[in-house]
Amino acid sequence: MKKIYYSLCLLLSLFIWTSCDKGGEERVDLKYEARTISVSSISPVAGYIGENLTINGKQFGVSPELMKVFIGEDETEIISCSEEQLIVKVPQGATTGKIILNLMGDTYVSELTYTVLGQPSVTAISPVMAFANDEITITGDNFGSTVSAVKLGFTGTKETALVVSCENTKIIAKVPAKAVTGPIDLTISKQHVNTPLSTGSGEFTVLQHASFTEMSAVSGYRGATVTLKGEGFVGTDEKPLKVYFGDTEAEVVSSTNEEIVIIVPEEATNGDNAVMVETAYELIEAVQVFNVLPSPKITSVSSTEEYIGAEVTITGENFPEEVKNVRVLFGGGEATIVSNSATELVVKVAAPADGVFGKVALTVLMADVTFYTGEFTVKETPYIISAVSNNILSNKLVQVGDEITVTGKGLTPDGTVTIGGIKVEPTFNGNNEFKASIPAGFTGGKVVLTYEAISVPVTSDDELILLTEGMDITEFVLQNYQQPFIPKAGTSGTANPVGWLYSSNFENEGMAWQNGNTYLHLQTYGKNKKENGKLYQVKTLPKGKYKFMIDVAESFFNKGRFTVRFLVAKGNNTFPDYVKEVAGENGKVWEYNDPEKIVLVDKLLSDLRITIGSTPVQVETNEINLSETTEVTIGFLTMTNDQAGVKVSAIKTIWLGE
């Protein structure tokens, strides 16, 4: 009985295949007899303890109870079994070894070796900053070689990085498109791997591409200073910012994130040059074009010594057309340019900046680039610094008989003095100052001294202006007095104009500043908004007669009462408040609540009975006769209780004489 029992157990342990032949008879196939097992591949070829290993091959059978799988000497746990694939778990304590299969006592040793990896570790990431889609390299150990097992996450996106390749000691991956600066996260299979950039204290820097948008100039000379503008102008000690004019590198003077100041290189070619910027991380794609002008050359200077004011001719080629781009210095004193062309420059010798005569440096700059430095002797010469009057309105305004003061250096009495071409007898106060009276017949001009020993007349830069009857002197009396009026900085909508004072109920309402309107717009948009509203300036006027003219571009109102009056009152105390309107010789006038505030001019600009509409008019005031120098308040006083306004385009002050 015992032998029969063992025989039955053996038969039951065999995998039995059954089928029916054509005659319907049952057939028993003892499948494992003379079975040929083969292993074609394993995946992965390296991995970690506790992870699955897939073995591909043939004739494995379908019963895991009959199969044993080993990695070297270490038996694995079989997860699943089929004819062509086995899935097993790498056991604890397993070490690297060949894949061995044992089926019902028959052992098959494959030629394939599975490497059991230790704990993966990262030693370096390079670079630690890059642009989106750039490749980075992670080096370390025990990474395996399965690309799909590597998951590399970046801050700012759920998308994991594209892994380009994976070796046991190196992983290459691309930075995702939406990644931002921050920690990164590395997982290989089920193993989370710490990296230098995987904690809050470490960050991978995702760089933003720089931009190069414009230059402060698009043409200039070699040696000129040019500012490049954009964003992301970043350099490091190892890789500083670089700017190229074609193939030539320019000198970088200074840089910020938004600007680079460079000097156009001497090696740059004439004509258009492609200007390119290279940061520490990239060559910016945008290219600007800079036209390098032919460098000016100076071939001769007509004289090497002269008096102040003498003309000197500088000859050469490639001089700039615009005189504003040319400066000539005599020992630091800047010369007056008389004329210029592409080949010739005529200047007047300037007084040395330090007042020391003799040998000085003659320097010629074009577009702030020095193209010539030579030696020049400035002969000792008297020169005028200023010629001014004591007129309160302006030290350039004079009347016949007014005394002027002329200051300078070396002003000796052995010469002839003329004012506006008329000879005068000055009174000298040493060699640095003299006084003279404006002569009869003077119509305007400069002060000139002539000396027999000096070939060049000594002439003032200041030109004196004769104050004549009927002259418009508004520029000397008022600020911001004509269209376009300038509003206070940083204001829009409604605002008071620069240079004007105002009462509290004129705050931000003295001027409508909408749709490019530049009138002085005295307006209101609500009842009682401008009862006794005041907008004014204060000025001291010298003795004499004056009148004012106000150009009104438009007057409008809806209903109710709206009146604007132009006033001039004595003193720096604004205007008195109105009390009521009363009949006067020339129409209705206002009565005021403070008789001590003397109103010199009271002129109506608009009320219910005057409809100007879009037709401009000029309102002229009566004459003011000031018997002495007087401080006055000039401006507008309003009375309104509804929506209305007056647009003033100009205010003129006319001098009528004494």
Side-chain angles (χ1 to χ4, degrees):
M1 287 295 294
K2 191 173 185 180
K3 290 182 179 179
I4 296 172
Y5 175 77
Y6 284 146
S7 298
L8 288 173
C9 288
L10 178 61
L11 289 172
L12 291 172
S13 65
L14 295 176
F15 187 85
I16 301 172
W17 289 68
T18 60
S19 62
C20 293
D21 60 14
K22 292 181 179 180
E25 296 178 349
E26 186 180 70
R27 184 180 65 187
V28 177
D29 184 4
L30 301 181
K31 193 67 176 178
Y32 289 120
E33 293 180 357
R35 178 174 284 272
T36 303
I37 297 174
S38 65
V39 175
S40 58
S41 66
I42 61 174
S43 177
V45 296
Y48 305 97
I49 290 172
E51 295 187 346
N52 291 348
L53 165 65
T54 299
I55 303 169
N56 299 308
K58 292 181 179 180
Q59 298 196 31
F60 295 157
V62 294
S63 177
E65 293 83 2
L66 304 179
M67 175 71 76
K68 293 183 179 180
V69 179
F70 298 84
I71 300 173
E73 296 179 352
D74 301 299
E75 185 175 355
T76 67
E77 176 188 347
I78 298 175
I79 306 300
S80 66
C81 175
S82 69
E83 275 291 327
E84 296 182 344
Q85 188 179 79
L86 290 166
I87 298 176
V88 301
K89 179 180 286 188
V90 180
Q92 290 289 333
T95 59
T96 299
K98 289 188 175 182
I99 302 300
I100 300 173
L101 306 182
N102 186 295
L103 179 62
M104 294 181 61
D106 290 333
T107 299
Y108 171 80
V109 180
S110 77
E111 295 300 320
L112 300 177
T113 298
Y114 179 78
T115 301
V116 178
L117 300 173
Q119 180 65 34
S121 62
V122 173
T123 57
I125 297 176
S126 179
V128 294
M129 53 180 64
F131 297 100
N133 297 316
D134 281 357
E135 290 186 355
I136 64 170
T137 300
I138 301 173
T139 54
D141 200 8
N142 293 315
F143 295 157
S145 58
T146 305
V147 168
S148 61
V150 178
K151 305 296 180 186
L152 182 60
F154 282 76
T155 302
T157 178
K158 294 181 179 179
E159 174 192 4
T160 56
L162 172 65
V163 178
V164 178
S165 64
C166 178
E167 301 173 11
N168 196 46
T169 58
K170 182 171 68 175
I171 297 170
I172 298 176
K174 286 190 174 184
V175 180
K178 296 181 180 180
V180 298
T181 296
I184 63 175
D185 184 80
L186 175 62
T187 301
I188 304 175
S189 294
K190 298 179 182 179
Q191 309 292 315
H192 183 267
V193 187
N194 288 327
T195 76
L197 304 180
S198 62
T199 65
S201 60
E203 288 188 339
F204 183 89
T205 301
V206 179
L207 301 171
Q208 300 299 316
H209 285 289
S211 63
F212 175 23
T213 55
E214 62 179 310
M215 299 183 291
S216 60
V218 295
S219 65
Y221 300 113
R222 298 171 183 84
T225 300
V226 180
T227 300
L228 283 54
K229 297 183 180 181
E231 286 186 355
F233 293 149
V234 179
T236 65
D237 292 339
E238 296 77 16
K239 293 184 177 181
L241 279 169
K242 293 184 178 181
V243 177
Y244 299 94
F245 278 67
D247 296 328
T248 304
E249 187 174 343
E251 177 187 348
V252 175
V253 178
S254 64
S255 67
T256 65
N257 189 65
E258 292 84 22
E259 291 188 349
I260 308 174
V261 179
I262 59 98
I263 295 176
V264 179
E266 293 295 332
E267 297 80 7
T269 58
N270 286 345
D272 289 344
N273 284 250
V275 181
M276 297 167 286
V277 177
E278 184 177 6
T279 71
Y281 312 110
E282 64 178 330
L283 180 66
I284 300 176
E285 291 184 359
V287 176
Q288 306 291 333
V289 177
F290 186 91
N291 182 257
V292 177
L293 303 174
S295 297
K297 294 181 181 179
I298 294 172
T299 56
S300 65
V301 180
S302 63
S303 177
T304 58
E305 60 177 25
E306 278 294 353
Y307 293 102
I308 296 172
E311 291 188 359
V312 173
T313 301
I314 300 169
T315 306
E317 59 185 43
N318 299 327
F319 292 175
E321 295 181 1
E322 295 187 8
V323 70
K324 69 178 182 179
N325 289 328
V326 180
R327 295 177 65 209
V328 179
L329 306 177
F330 289 85
E334 188 161 351
T336 301
I337 297 175
V338 179
S339 65
N340 72 298
S341 69
T343 58
E344 188 176 271
L345 184 63
V346 180
V347 300
K348 285 188 177 182
V349 177
D354 55 8
V356 178
F357 295 96
K359 291 183 179 180
V360 299
L362 169 60
T363 306
V364 181
L365 300 95
M366 299 182 180
D368 293 326
V369 180
T370 300
F371 285 102
Y372 177 85
T373 300
E375 191 176 86
F376 192 92
T377 300
V378 179
K379 296 180 179 180
E380 191 163 349
T381 315
Y383 61 93
I384 295 173
I385 297 174
S386 66
V388 297
S389 73
N390 60 358
N391 189 285
I392 293 173
L393 296 175
S394 170
N395 58 20
K396 301 299 180 288
L397 286 175
V398 296
Q399 293 177 271
V400 173
D402 283 354
E403 185 178 72
I404 64 168
T405 300
V406 180
T407 59
K409 296 287 186 180
L411 305 178
T412 59
D414 53 336
T416 301
V417 178
T418 61
I419 302 176
I422 302 172
K423 184 178 179 181
V424 298
E425 297 296 330
T427 301
F428 282 82
N429 180 21
N431 291 339
N432 296 331
E433 181 183 283
F434 67 81
K435 296 180 182 294
S437 297
I438 300 298
F442 174 79
T443 58
K446 297 183 177 183
V447 177
V448 178
L449 284 81
T450 55
Y451 296 90
E452 287 187 6
I454 301 174
S455 59
V456 181
V458 179
T459 305
S460 68
D461 290 331
D462 300 318
E463 185 160 353
L464 299 171
I465 302 169
L466 182 65
L467 186 58
T468 58
E469 186 175 335
M471 180 178 177
D472 185 347
I473 59 170
T474 314
E475 64 178 296
F476 308 115
V477 176
L478 295 174
Q479 302 178 56
N480 199 16
Y481 58 88
Q482 64 184 359
Q483 191 180 21
F485 287 89
I486 301 169
K488 289 190 300 185
T491 57
S492 61
T494 57
N496 284 316
V498 169
W500 290 78
L501 304 172
Y502 44 85
S503 59
S504 60
N505 59 344
F506 247 98
E507 176 71 32
N508 292 330
E509 292 289 344
M511 172 181 293
W513 214 262
Q514 298 168 335
N515 302 322
N517 180 13
T518 55
Y519 293 106
L520 190 62
H521 196 163
L522 309 166
Q523 64 171 357
T524 183
Y525 286 108
K527 291 185 177 181
N528 303 316
K529 192 70 175 179
K530 298 230 175 36
E531 291 295 323
N532 286 303
K534 299 162 187 176
L535 185 71
Y536 59 95
Q537 295 185 37
V538 177
K539 182 70 177 179
T540 299
L541 299 180
K543 174 185 175 181
K545 299 176 183 178
Y546 304 84
K547 72 175 178 180
F548 293 85
M549 304 174 74
I550 301 90
D551 292 336
V552 180
E554 183 179 346
S555 176
F556 63 92
F557 60 89
N558 285 344
K559 60 182 178 178
R561 178 170 55 106
F562 178 68
T563 304
V564 175
R565 305 191 85 91
F566 177 80
L567 300 186
V568 178
K570 271 193 176 183
N572 179 8
N573 53 13
T574 72
F575 307 124
D577 290 342
Y578 79 92
V579 177
K580 60 181 178 179
E581 285 184 327
V582 297
E585 294 182 1
N586 298 314
K588 289 188 176 182
V589 297
W590 282 355
E591 281 191 353
Y592 301 100
N593 65 352
D594 189 349
E596 292 184 3
K597 293 184 177 180
I598 301 172
V599 177
L600 302 170
V601 168
D602 178 351
K603 194 67 178 180
L604 180 68
L605 297 186
S606 172
D607 70 5
L608 187 62
R609 294 168 297 281
I610 299 179
T611 303
I612 300 173
S614 60
T615 304
V617 299
Q618 187 174 75
V619 179
E620 184 175 315
T621 72
N622 57 293
E623 179 183 298
I624 301 174
N625 189 354
L626 300 179
S627 58
E628 59 184 359
T629 297
T630 305
E631 190 173 42
V632 296
T633 302
I634 305 166
F636 302 92
L637 183 63
T638 65
M639 177 180 69
T640 179
N641 66 358
D642 212 303
Q643 181 175 345
V646 169
K647 294 180 181 179
V648 174
S649 57
I651 306 154
K652 298 177 184 176
T653 309
I654 308 300
W655 168 258
L656 300 177
E658 291 189 354

